[in-house]
Amino acid sequence: LPKVWRARGWLARLLWPTAQIYGLIMRLRLALYRSGFLRSERFGVPVIVVGNVVAGGAGKTPLVMEMVRHLQAQGRQVGVVSRGYGRVGHETLEVTAKTPACESGDEPALIKRSTSAPVFVATRRAQAVRALLAAYPATAVVVSDDGLQHYALQRDIEVAVFDDRGVGNGWLLPAGPLREPWPARRRQGIDLVLHTGQNPAFEGFASTRQLAGHAVAADGSRVALADLRGRPLVALAGIARSD
């Protein structure tokens, strides 16, 4: 499908009617939240949601970690919530440095180990925020890793992240990569657009990324990349686009 989503070819056109049904369901769902028929919770601290409107990864988690570190450097107590995609179990869970990634999800585990901020995962992010604030009442800011479409959690700032794919062919799932219509979604509350790729498809802020100067061993120790030169290695990439 990622290849299909690049253009409006015959297969994308074949899926277009299904995308219209998906779009109708999304609009109805949003209307139910806005009317109050479906409950949307607001908490007593600012909530920042970092997510994307396209299917697949675009660099959200590294942005969340940088944002957490930035706020921590300003002396703010920051907590992170996530759904914990792909984890075993559905209970609300505090992620610790020793929590197996299979129980927390790999991204929450990475955020915890790299920032030391409190991290909670739950099927519903509002539940995760509630548990976070109960355990850490001094929390001043909550950052949600993903969740732009999780309207049950009200938010103060929305950040949408894009990579070089942009919006693809501009169609909704499954005919295209969009979870929500764009640029309509931008006019409905997105506060900041960040491009993580080299060729932004439209206006927004840009970020750069580079390989770290070290690798992390299984025991948590750091090994300089220069020390690995000439040694036989097997490289595994656990991000959306490793190029």
Side-chain angles (χ1 to χ4, degrees):
L1 281 180
K3 293 183 179 180
V4 173
W5 293 340
R6 295 175 186 172
R8 297 182 177 183
W10 68 268
L11 183 52
R13 293 178 184 275
L14 186 65
L15 294 170
W16 186 83
T18 307
Q20 303 314 297
I21 298 174
Y22 172 84
L24 179 62
I25 294 173
M26 290 296 294
R27 290 193 294 272
L28 176 60
R29 179 170 170 266
L30 180 58
L32 290 175
Y33 274 109
R34 287 181 170 175
S35 67
F37 186 83
L38 292 179
R39 184 184 179 191
S40 183
E41 292 188 66
R42 176 173 292 281
F43 295 87
V45 297
V47 174
I48 304 172
V49 174
V50 179
N52 57 4
V53 297
V54 294
K60 299 183 299 296
T61 301
L63 176 60
V64 167
M65 292 188 294
E66 267 315 298
M67 189 175 291
V68 169
R69 285 192 283 260
H70 173 73
L71 292 168
Q72 288 174 331
Q74 294 182 331
R76 300 181 184 274
Q77 302 244 6
V78 189
V80 179
V81 297
S82 172
R83 180 185 174 190
Y85 181 77
R87 70 188 179 108
V88 176
H90 303 283
E91 72 282 1
T92 301
L93 175 72
E94 178 178 4
V95 182
T96 70
K98 296 182 179 181
T99 303
C102 63
E103 296 180 8
S104 65
D106 54 354
E107 292 172 341
L110 177 61
I111 294 170
K112 177 63 182 181
R113 294 171 189 177
S114 66
T115 68
S116 297
V119 178
F120 281 75
V121 295
T123 302
R124 297 177 63 84
R125 289 174 182 81
Q127 294 175 343
V129 174
R130 192 176 299 111
L132 167 66
L133 295 179
Y136 300 91
T139 300
V141 182
V142 174
V143 180
S144 176
D145 183 26
D146 209 354
L148 282 182
Q149 293 78 39
H150 190 73
Y151 302 123
L153 174 62
Q154 294 191 31
R155 65 290 308 265
D156 299 277
I157 298 176
E158 290 186 326
V159 181
V161 184
F162 291 88
D163 58 16
D164 281 337
R165 295 172 298 162
V167 295
N169 61 17
W171 283 348
L172 293 171
L173 292 167
L178 291 178
R179 299 175 179 177
E180 300 179 85
W182 190 269
R185 182 63 175 86
R186 186 172 192 173
R187 297 190 294 266
Q188 295 171 354
I190 298 294
D191 298 284
L192 187 148
V193 173
L194 181 73
H195 297 278
T196 61
Q198 300 299 317
N199 302 295
F202 44 86
E203 183 180 357
F205 292 92
S207 70
T208 58
R209 62 182 181 179
Q210 64 184 27
L211 191 64
H214 63 272
V216 180
D219 61 1
S221 61
R222 294 186 176 188
V223 181
L225 292 186
D227 295 340
L228 300 177
R229 184 178 290 117
R231 294 170 56 181
L233 298 170
V234 176
L236 300 176
I239 60 176
R241 296 177 63 86
S242 57
D243 53 348

